[in-house]
Amino acid sequence: MESEDKPNRYLIESQKGEKFYRSVLDRMHEAVFILNKNFLIIDANDAASRTTGLGRKELIGKHCYQVSHGHNRPCREVGEPCVLPEVFDTGMPATVLHKHTRVDGSVCWVDVLYSPFKGPDGRVLYVIEAMRDVTELLSAHERLKSALKGIIQSISALVEIRDPYTAGHSQRVVQLADAVAKEMGLSEEQIEGIRVAGIIHDIGKITVPAEILSKPGRLSEIEFSIIKTHPQAGYAVIKGLEFPWPVAQTVLQHHEKLDGSGYPTGLSGDKILLEARILAVADVVESISSHRPYRPALGIDKALEEISKNKGILLYDARVVDACVRLFKEKGFKFE
């Protein structure tokens, strides 16, 4: 009895198999190019012709960078990233997102998968490049991000309406937290999450009576205990929202301290998210340096003194404090 894979092998190796291969390739929605080690296109499908505006016969023999990028030199020679050499060398697939120049000169964003095709000895003979236009998808994603930012800004404004004495506090915290995160070399993705958390870090204050928020004198122990509920309240408000960053946990932890003396849960050390440790420092510096109902502004020097004497194993992350101090002392950072 013949094994089940024999008919398939026969199809691929015969003239009928060639027609089957061509039919499958041309039914694919993605633009597909088959490249040799010289980065020359040795085959392409109908979608590739539609994407580039060039017929299959025109595509065959062209370098992939001529078709994808519109120039006649290898990508790395013109300062553009290229993963093709690594795919040929390692035999591992790779994906990239890059700008593609259409035949009419217009530019779009494409998501590209490079898949190695190996011979019997395991060496990569060809690379199959599958290209998908994601311009509209990215555009929709950007619109959603813009809408999300607008909603977050509105929430922040709502909090500040109830607490007029700290108007602008969240914006200034975001300014400093953003600068500190960049000074520490964090990724743009992580910094974006810090910005979002910073804008709404005090959202829980909507549950605190306005007369406590705006009280001109020192708070009583009971009043302060009510204030201390705002991180937990904020977490409860936003925990159901699916952010691509740990926003809810950052909001919950932004008053925690390294030695465990913070609130609401008394976390310590590395149990506190780095994002929350950055917001904690930015929050303290902004609060001390600004006017409050119960005291005048104490100034930046006093704020930097506070975080510096309590950094390390005490209250504040030493790396965050050092970055913050550098910004003010060496790089001229100022709140806008």
Side-chain angles (χ1 to χ4, degrees):
M1 184 176 179
E2 289 187 329
S3 64
E4 291 183 1
D5 66 336
K6 269 192 174 182
N8 294 332
R9 197 160 56 242
Y10 172 75
L11 282 174
I12 298 301
E13 293 170 355
S14 67
Q15 183 179 8
K16 192 174 181 179
E18 171 63 24
K19 291 180 180 178
F20 177 75
Y21 151 78
R22 186 85 253 150
S23 174
V24 170
L25 201 62
D26 287 338
R27 285 174 185 270
M28 296 180 69
H29 294 294
E30 294 87 356
V32 176
F33 308 88
I34 300 178
L35 313 172
N36 66 14
K37 287 196 171 184
N38 295 319
F39 306 158
L40 289 171
I41 299 170
I42 62 172
D43 202 355
N45 66 352
D46 287 348
S49 294
R50 292 193 296 271
T51 299
T52 62
L54 299 173
R56 181 166 167 264
K57 290 184 178 179
E58 294 176 277
L59 287 170
I60 293 175
K62 286 187 178 294
H63 285 98
C64 61
Y65 44 80
Q66 291 177 293
V67 173
S68 294
H69 300 275
H71 52 68
N72 293 313
R73 295 169 60 197
C75 294
R76 288 184 173 178
E77 289 187 12
V78 295
E80 293 179 359
C82 181
V83 299
L84 266 175
E86 283 81 2
V87 176
F88 273 109
D89 291 343
T90 66
M92 298 296 292
T95 58
V96 295
L97 180 69
H98 68 72
K99 288 183 180 179
H100 168 73
T101 304
R102 299 188 180 101
V103 70
D104 62 1
S106 62
V107 174
C108 63
W109 282 96
V110 292
D111 186 33
V112 185
L113 169 64
Y114 295 98
S115 301
F117 182 87
K118 300 177 183 179
D121 60 358
R123 289 186 301 172
V124 179
L125 302 178
Y126 311 106
V127 167
I128 302 169
E129 175 184 350
M131 178 189 298
R132 182 167 60 106
D133 190 333
V134 294
T135 307
E136 286 301 317
L137 184 62
L138 289 178
S139 178
H141 178 66
E142 288 302 313
R143 289 196 297 271
L144 284 173
K145 282 182 65 176
S146 178
L148 177 61
K149 286 181 180 179
I151 293 170
I152 291 169
Q153 292 284 1
S154 297
I155 293 172
S156 176
L158 176 63
V159 175
E160 292 187 345
I161 287 173
R162 295 192 72 252
D163 188 9
Y165 287 97
T166 57
H169 165 71
S170 293
Q171 296 295 338
R172 290 190 292 272
V173 167
V174 170
Q175 290 172 23
L176 181 53
D178 177 87
V180 168
K182 289 176 180 175
E183 179 70 15
M184 293 176 66
L186 271 60
S187 69
E188 180 56 34
E189 182 69 15
Q190 198 168 8
I191 293 171
E192 183 67 15
I194 291 170
R195 293 190 196 109
V196 172
I199 292 171
I200 58 174
H201 74 280
D202 277 341
I203 185 175
K205 286 185 176 179
I206 61 175
T207 65
V208 178
E211 57 269 23
I212 294 179
L213 294 175
S214 58
K215 184 177 177 179
R218 182 174 292 277
L219 297 175
S220 68
E221 187 175 335
I222 293 176
E223 290 168 333
F224 186 55
S225 68
I226 294 174
I227 287 282
K228 289 167 67 175
T229 65
H230 81 271
Q232 187 75 52
Y235 173 77
V237 169
I238 64 173
K239 67 179 181 180
L241 301 177
E242 295 186 9
F243 292 103
W245 319 279
V247 173
Q249 287 293 335
T250 302
V251 168
L252 178 65
Q253 297 177 11
H254 78 276
H255 277 294
E256 301 287 4
K257 300 294 187 289
L258 291 187
D259 64 358
S261 64
Y263 59 89
T265 58
L267 293 178
S268 62
D270 291 339
K271 293 179 182 178
I272 306 170
L273 292 175
L274 176 59
E275 291 89 341
R277 284 179 260 160
I278 291 172
L279 277 188
V281 168
D283 192 31
V284 167
V285 170
E286 198 288 328
S287 297
I288 292 176
S289 62
S290 299
H291 175 77
R292 288 294 180 267
Y294 49 86
R295 60 154 173 80
L298 300 178
I300 287 296
D301 289 340
K302 188 70 176 177
L304 297 183
E305 178 186 338
E306 160 64 21
I307 61 173
S308 296
K309 73 180 182 182
N310 288 300
K311 73 176 183 177
I313 62 173
L314 298 175
L315 305 183
Y316 311 110
D317 187 298
R319 296 170 299 163
V320 178
V321 170
D322 291 344
C324 183
V325 171
R326 281 198 304 273
L327 286 171
F328 283 100
K329 297 290 188 180
E330 300 175 17
K331 302 191 175 181
F333 178 88
K334 293 181 179 179
F335 288 114
E336 294 178 4

